Amino acid sequence: MPYIEARRNGSGSITSYRIVVSTGYDDYGKQIRHRFLWTPPKPGMSEKQMEKEATAAAYKYEEQINNGFLIDLHQTFSQYAQYVLDLKEKTGVRASTIDRYIDLLVRINQAIGSLELTKIRPQHLNALYSDLKENGVRADTDRAVATRALKTTLHEMEISKAKLSRMAGVAASTITNVTRGDPIRIDKAEAIAAALECDFDELFKVEENRTPLSDKTILEHHRLISTILAQAEKEMLITYNPAARATPPKPKKPKPDYYQPDEMDEILAALENAPLKWKTITYLLIDTGCRRGEILGLKPENVDYDTGLVVIDHALLATKSKGVYEGETKTGSMRAIRLAPQSLELLRKWKTEQLRMKLAQGDRWVDSGYIFTQDDGSRLHPDSITDWLGKFSKKHNLPHIHPHAFRHTAASTMIANGVDLVTTANELGHANASTTASIYAHQIAIAKAKAADVRAGVFAGRSAKPKKKRA
């Protein structure tokens, strides 16, 4: 039976009730007590009404304790969120996913981080989603622009662009871009400042993008909150998950972005004069439908240069915390793809060119073991493909080129030409055919419509109108 004690102010009026529930004794013979402070939910209640509701709350609290809900009334959302992230990391969640969670928690904790777990309500979450819709800051698209102090520092320290590239572990093209005033990623700028042993704010200024967040990004915040609170519900720290009763935005499912045949012709024509490395990478993206990290993760042993068979069994990934590292493919599976003759021929040429580069670099060559590398043999960042394609498309007045669009194009081409879903899924490295069916439902519908036209061919030469009967 719970213990209930009224608490009064200086004038003798009841302000709250102290509730204590005992659940036996610990190993040292000390009684285990759980305490709860109940306050009236609305003003103007009589003492009799307060006592009645406090008693009901006390018995409900005791029931929760007896059912295993050992509620820590003082644990905040931000404290518990950190515990859940640590738990996820220990259970093998990808580093890129953990980094994304950390980014999302910045905004989430600003709004509800200080709230105790047991006091979070759907209204708190709905208010957060509404605020993100109006005032979201896109921290992931912020860019750093060098101040005049960067050039001055390089001149005074007599550091060349090539040397700074090696010191900071940043691509030479990024150093060229930043010294001519182009914006670069924040993590790259931080690496440069650290290499020069200077304060970031001294060498760079940050350009923020303060446009409202998209519904898709707001939904990411909601899913993370829901994941954290679902863990709390699972551990019986809260009686229900407030996120399950909140109302996040419902973004429209975007159609896959793919290139039409005439656009592909323009891209391929422009690639004729592109540097061999980037031309080969782009051909492989177009030909295989692979993810960019899967292309950069290729090693010589993954390619049979005689048959054109390529094995995809790992990928180069990148996170803020780990930098560029080798990891599993997105689904953790292995697949084999046969290259088109044009792609295989370019790959052979690049193999010869890379050997020439290695000899030219001599002792400076970093033997990372990958087919596609920086000029000194070190790993390429997956974003380097996106950056190069963006500049390439601008230079040749082409539609904006994103590497993932080539993946969609490969899928759409296979579906349009009658390749079955299971084979298409295997080629793309999807976990199962249902994933492919969900993403490319529109293309599948078009392919089925064409199939209907083919079936209708059996009626060729016959009128759709019934013949009139003779009198």
Side-chain angles (χ1 to χ4, degrees):
M1 181 177 177
Y3 170 76
I4 305 172
E5 178 188 15
R7 302 181 68 178
R8 301 175 183 272
N9 58 21
S11 60
S13 300
I14 295 176
T15 57
S16 60
Y17 281 83
R18 184 168 70 95
I19 298 169
V20 181
V21 174
S22 299
T23 55
Y25 297 85
D26 62 19
D27 294 339
Y28 300 97
K30 185 177 179 181
Q31 194 172 30
I32 300 171
R33 293 188 178 94
H34 304 278
R35 296 170 177 81
F36 172 47
L37 186 67
W38 181 89
T39 54
K42 53 188 177 181
M45 295 179 69
S46 67
E47 289 193 4
K48 188 175 182 179
Q49 288 174 322
M50 285 191 285
E51 183 180 1
K52 182 179 179 180
E53 291 204 21
T55 302
Y59 279 102
K60 183 178 179 181
Y61 181 59
E62 182 181 45
E63 181 183 6
Q64 291 173 341
I65 295 296
N66 291 334
N67 287 335
F69 290 94
L70 299 178
I71 302 176
D72 180 356
L73 297 176
H74 301 292
Q75 189 170 21
T76 65
F77 178 87
S78 62
Q79 291 170 337
Y80 190 71
Q82 185 57 57
Y83 159 76
V84 173
L85 259 61
D86 292 342
L87 191 64
K88 295 287 183 185
E89 192 168 11
K90 290 175 183 176
T91 55
V93 173
R94 290 162 66 106
S96 57
T97 302
I98 297 296
D99 271 18
R100 181 56 178 160
Y101 286 166
I102 292 171
D103 287 341
L104 295 173
L105 276 176
V106 172
R107 301 188 187 98
I108 294 171
N109 284 338
Q110 287 174 350
I112 64 171
S114 61
L115 292 179
E116 294 171 354
L117 279 177
T118 57
K119 293 183 179 179
I120 295 175
R121 299 291 180 265
Q123 296 92 319
H124 296 128
L125 306 184
N126 290 337
L128 167 60
Y129 306 148
S130 177
D131 187 56
L132 291 177
K133 184 76 173 177
E134 296 176 4
N135 304 306
V137 179
R138 297 173 179 266
D140 53 337
T141 58
D142 290 351
R143 290 293 183 265
V145 179
T147 64
R148 296 178 65 180
L150 177 61
K151 285 187 177 181
T152 302
T153 302
L154 293 178
H155 178 72
E156 291 176 350
M157 298 176 69
E158 298 182 351
I159 296 176
S160 65
K161 294 177 185 178
K163 183 177 179 181
L164 179 59
S165 173
R166 293 192 296 272
M167 290 170 58
V170 174
S173 57
T174 301
I175 301 299
T176 299
N177 292 341
V178 73
T179 52
R180 71 184 179 196
D182 294 342
I184 63 171
R185 288 190 359 226
I186 300 294
D187 59 323
K188 299 295 184 184
E190 289 173 341
I192 292 171
L196 296 175
E197 297 183 354
C198 294
D199 290 337
F200 176 88
D201 295 334
E202 180 184 346
L203 301 182
F204 298 95
K205 60 181 179 180
V206 176
E207 293 182 344
E208 294 182 338
N209 182 352
R210 292 187 172 273
T211 54
L213 299 179
S214 66
D215 287 346
K216 179 176 179 292
T217 304
I218 295 173
L219 192 58
E220 277 190 276
H221 288 75
H222 166 73
R223 285 171 177 161
L224 176 56
I225 294 170
S226 184
T227 296
I228 292 167
L229 294 177
Q231 184 66 30
E233 183 182 19
K234 182 179 179 181
E235 295 184 352
M236 304 183 83
L237 298 176
I238 55 177
T239 55
Y240 76 99
N241 183 349
R245 305 184 186 185
T247 310
K250 295 181 179 180
K252 295 180 181 178
K253 187 175 181 179
K255 293 181 180 179
D257 182 19
Y258 61 95
Y259 301 113
Q260 298 295 337
D262 57 335
E263 293 176 317
M264 285 303 308
D265 287 342
E266 290 183 39
I267 293 170
L268 291 171
L271 280 171
E272 284 302 309
N273 297 317
L276 181 59
K277 178 173 73 177
W278 296 109
K279 180 179 180 180
T280 307
I281 288 174
T282 307
Y283 261 67
L284 291 181
L285 288 169
I286 295 169
D287 184 15
T288 65
C290 284
R291 303 173 180 91
R292 60 184 192 175
E294 293 171 342
I295 296 296
L296 293 187
L298 288 175
K299 298 178 180 179
E301 57 265 31
N302 292 120
V303 181
D304 187 327
Y305 287 91
D306 294 324
T307 63
L309 198 66
V310 175
V311 175
I312 309 296
D313 59 2
H314 58 271
L316 275 190
L317 308 171
T319 65
K320 292 179 181 178
S321 58
K322 295 181 66 173
V324 180
Y325 67 98
E326 183 180 307
E328 294 182 335
T329 60
K330 190 171 183 180
T331 58
S333 61
M334 181 187 74
R335 66 190 189 278
I337 303 173
R338 191 175 299 280
L339 297 179
Q342 297 88 337
S343 301
L344 183 58
E345 180 59 27
L346 283 175
L347 204 52
R348 289 188 183 121
K349 289 181 178 179
W350 173 248
K351 181 181 179 182
T352 303
E353 175 63 16
Q354 190 181 49
L355 179 59
R356 186 197 64 77
M357 290 171 55
K358 180 178 180 179
L359 293 173
Q361 287 284 342
D363 294 340
R364 296 187 299 274
W365 181 260
V366 179
D367 193 6
S368 62
Y370 297 97
I371 290 176
F372 299 107
T373 63
Q374 297 187 45
D375 293 346
D376 64 353
S378 56
R379 294 171 171 177
L380 277 170
H381 194 291
D383 283 350
S384 62
I385 294 180
T386 307
D387 293 342
W388 186 85
L389 286 172
K391 294 172 184 175
F392 171 77
S393 57
K394 285 183 180 179
K395 180 180 178 181
H396 295 279
N397 296 316
L398 295 168
H400 176 69
I401 300 175
H402 190 280
H404 214 72
F406 290 134
R407 183 170 169 80
H408 293 318
T409 303
S412 300
T413 302
M414 285 188 282
I415 291 169
N417 285 278
V419 178
D420 64 273
L421 272 180
V422 173
T423 302
T424 301
N426 289 338
E427 289 282 304
L428 295 173
H430 283 161
N432 48 60
S434 62
T435 302
T436 312
S438 173
I439 297 173
Y440 301 104
H442 182 68
Q443 285 74 13
I444 293 169
I446 293 173
K448 286 183 176 179
K450 290 180 180 178
D453 293 339
V454 172
R455 293 196 309 273
V458 70
F459 303 115
R462 293 181 176 272
S463 173
K465 296 180 180 179
K467 293 182 179 180
K468 293 181 179 180
K469 294 182 178 180
R470 293 181 180 178

